[in-house]
Amino acid sequence: MDSPPPEERGTPVGRRVFLGTVGLGALGVLAAPALQRATEAFLGGAAERDPTGLTGLLPNGGGFRYYSVTSSVPHKTAATYRLTVDGLVDRPTTYTLAGLRALPQTRMVRDVQCVTGWRVPGTPFAGVRLSRLLDAAGVRASAGAVRFTCFDGSYTESLTLEQARRPDVLVALRMRDKDLDHSHGGPARLYVAPMYFYKSAKWLSGITVTQHVEQGYWEERGYDVDAWVGRSNGRDDAPTT
Ligand SMILES: Nc1nc2c(c(=O)[nH]1)N[C@H]1C(S)=C(S)[C@@H](COP(=O)(O)O)O[C@H]1N2
Ligand SMILES: [Mo]
């Protein structure tokens, strides 16, 4: 079990929620059919068996399943990668990878939990707190949400501003103490530790501050916008102690 760094203690994602994800593996498999039925109903029966997780299983991914909603994704290097922060901000900003690496880095070790039941325990992620980028840009008073876009050209996600400012939400540059590789969304992805992994948009290219939450890719297809692990997507029966 990891022990959260001091600055993370006392945030809403406490030990309770974290421990609540342990042992969810078996439960997740049992709970999956209900979610799958809901998704299939939503898609008119066209959904594959496991719409957000079973495509492209990486043989040596250490439990990770590679997933992309697009068939190919361009590669970006330190020379070509850019992350823009815009929308309802006073100082729209474009970061290079070097610029992101030069900012203070936060490392967290949590379980990764896909909504379809697979889980990878104790996975280190590191990067820049999203709150830092938002503060640097100067979020306007009228703002209420943040929208994320990706250089795969299709995937989108969103968080409320309150969620986006949590200390356990990162623009991650590293996973398992290595630079994020392309398959896992490198050079930079969103990492939303307390939520199911579909919130953690890979190949992050844009952060746009908006007034209201707009549904992301999977949310338009039936998944919860507030994707707290153990408390959303029909998993309210997850352990709570
Ligand atoms: N751009 C993009 N981000 C994405 C996805 C995607 O298809 N495209 N899939 C999501 C889902 S459903 C999961 S479970 C994780 C998978 O991350 P991994 O490929 O690093 O295991 O990424 C999330 N972020
Ligand atoms: Mo997923």
Side-chain angles (χ1 to χ4, degrees), residues 38-228:
T39 310
E40 278 179 358
F42 192 84
L43 296 174
E48 41 184 311
R49 231 192 113 57
D50 189 354
T52 79
L54 278 185
T55 305
L57 186 55
L58 281 183
N60 288 311
F64 273 92
R65 289 166 199 198
Y66 168 74
Y67 195 80
S68 171
V69 299
T70 59
S71 54
S72 76
V73 179
H75 286 245
K76 301 270 185 187
T77 64
T80 59
Y81 179 75
R82 297 289 182 277
L83 175 64
T84 59
V85 183
D86 60 14
L88 299 172
V89 297
D90 291 331
R91 297 173 291 279
T93 313
T94 300
Y95 291 91
T96 61
L97 194 55
L100 291 171
R101 284 177 177 152
L103 296 171
Q105 307 289 304
T106 299
R107 182 178 180 272
M108 288 189 291
V109 184
R110 297 283 188 281
D111 292 0
V112 162
Q113 176 75 54
C114 174
V115 71
T116 54
W118 58 274
R119 185 172 64 88
V120 187
T123 306
F125 279 90
V128 181
R129 285 211 168 107
L130 179 58
S131 63
R132 171 175 292 276
L133 302 183
L134 294 173
D135 288 348
V139 173
R140 295 198 179 144
S142 58
V146 184
R147 180 168 175 80
F148 306 94
T149 47
C150 307
F151 62 81
D152 63 8
S154 293
Y155 205 78
T156 55
E157 254 307 335
S158 61
L159 292 170
T160 67
L161 199 50
E162 190 187 3
Q163 292 164 358
R165 284 187 159 135
R166 291 173 57 103
D168 53 5
V169 175
L170 306 180
V171 170
L173 309 178
R174 292 169 67 79
M175 185 180 111
R176 293 169 166 165
D177 300 316
K178 292 192 199 108
D179 289 345
L180 257 187
D181 64 32
H182 182 262
S183 69
H184 289 297
R189 77 183 293 169
L190 190 65
Y191 175 64
V192 184
M195 294 193 178
Y196 288 111
F197 210 27
Y198 64 88
K199 298 300 289 189
S200 294
K202 309 203 291 188
W203 308 297
L204 185 65
S205 58
I207 297 172
T208 302
V209 179
T210 60
Q211 220 169 341
H212 305 290
V213 164
E214 294 163 42
Q215 288 191 328
Y217 183 93
W218 282 115
E219 289 130 25
E220 286 168 354
R221 290 158 179 78
Y223 287 84
D224 289 352
V225 174
D226 294 324
W228 306 108

